[in-house]
Amino acid sequence: VKSEGPKLVPFFKATCVYFVLWLPTSSPSWFSALIKCLPIFCLWVFLLAHGINFLVSHRSASRILAGLIFSAVGDAFLIWQEQGYFIHGLLMFGITHILYSSAFGMKPLDLKAGLLMGVVSSSCYAFLYSYLSGPFTYLVAVYIALIGFMGWRAVAGVQLCNDLWTWTKLSACVGAMLFMVSDLTIALNEFCFPVPYSRFIIMATYYAAQMLIALSAVETRDEEDFRKRS
């Protein structure tokens, strides 16, 4: 953790810039999009700092980088969500969750975690259903299924009982849970009722989630370094 921390300094600075400027969402602009996406750009740099060869040789890391790229595009679309680009942002983040799920992998399977995540996801959709209309009725269902699947794969990687966990797997798990909190807050605020301090909750949990998921990409490198030292 100590070795990766300094590489995240630009991300923390960019996140502070976003919250300090706190540009109004009522007047979207390319500058607003840049400020919102800047922390994610810094996470691109964080992963690229580990070397192109590392990203090429480790599919999980390259898929997380690809997910961050689609996330930034989704963030930009959501700047203009009132102009009809909300669905575009939803699509970009749906692709992001597919990439993250692929990066986390299907081993171990952990069907109990999958069942639990399925119950949570179904309950969330059941609550939102009565507030949805038109294409959002099925689009939100698909999106919840994707993020729920991503959450399952992240949770399944943390085998606490068998003492097979690593800090990066735990990072992915916590990151996935925070991502779900962020998106659930968006859904409640967008379709159901105004959530107090919604923007702060959404962005704080979102940036934390993306940082933790980006950190999980360095796991394979840590394992290699450990084997070399051994």
Side-chain angles (χ1 to χ4, degrees):
V1 175
K2 290 180 180 179
S3 64
E4 301 298 335
K7 299 172 187 174
L8 287 169
V9 169
F11 165 80
F12 289 121
K13 289 183 177 179
T15 302
C16 288
V17 168
Y18 174 83
F19 285 106
V20 169
L21 291 181
W22 203 243
L23 298 173
T25 56
S26 57
S27 54
S29 66
W30 285 108
F31 181 69
S32 297
L34 174 62
I35 295 301
K36 185 181 181 184
C37 295
L38 194 57
I40 307 303
F41 294 159
C42 291
L43 292 177
W44 297 2
V45 175
F46 167 75
L47 289 180
L48 290 169
H50 290 82
I52 298 298
N53 290 336
F54 169 74
L55 293 172
V56 171
S57 58
H58 297 93
R59 292 182 178 179
S60 60
S62 60
R63 287 168 183 170
I64 287 176
L65 176 59
L68 288 168
I69 292 172
F70 277 99
S71 293
V73 178
D75 282 332
F77 276 130
L78 291 181
I79 287 287
W80 286 277
Q81 61 178 322
E82 299 299 329
Q83 284 72 36
Y85 288 96
F86 184 82
I87 292 179
H88 299 73
L90 202 68
L91 175 62
M92 293 299 103
F93 280 107
I95 295 173
T96 293
H97 297 318
I98 293 173
L99 289 165
Y100 285 168
S101 299
S102 178
F104 298 150
M106 291 301 296
K107 294 181 180 180
L109 193 60
D110 198 346
L111 293 177
K112 290 182 180 179
L115 178 61
L116 175 61
M117 201 59 62
V119 170
V120 171
S121 299
S122 299
S123 299
C124 290
Y125 182 70
F127 178 82
L128 292 169
Y129 181 77
S130 60
Y131 295 94
L132 302 173
S133 61
F136 286 111
T137 303
Y138 58 86
L139 287 175
V140 171
V142 172
Y143 186 85
I144 289 177
L146 290 176
I147 194 171
F149 185 82
M150 186 271 290
W152 169 32
R153 298 321 311 147
V155 171
V158 183
Q159 298 291 298
L160 294 174
C161 296
N162 300 324
D163 199 27
L164 296 175
W165 66 279
T166 62
W167 71 266
T168 46
K169 289 185 182 298
L170 187 60
S171 176
C173 177
V174 176
M177 295 301 100
L178 287 174
F179 216 135
M180 294 178 74
V181 170
S182 179
D183 281 357
L184 179 58
T185 306
I186 291 176
L188 292 174
N189 195 65
E190 183 74 20
F191 302 112
C192 303
F193 48 78
V195 177
Y197 308 106
S198 60
R199 185 181 171 192
F200 177 81
I201 295 170
I202 290 165
M203 297 311 299
T205 53
Y206 170 68
Y207 285 141
Q210 293 285 38
M211 179 196 69
L212 291 169
I213 290 173
L215 270 172
S216 73
V218 304
E219 177 180 15
T220 47
R221 186 185 183 195
D222 288 346
E223 291 174 348
E224 287 178 353
D225 290 343
F226 177 78
R227 285 197 294 268
K228 289 177 181 177
R229 289 195 298 269
S230 302

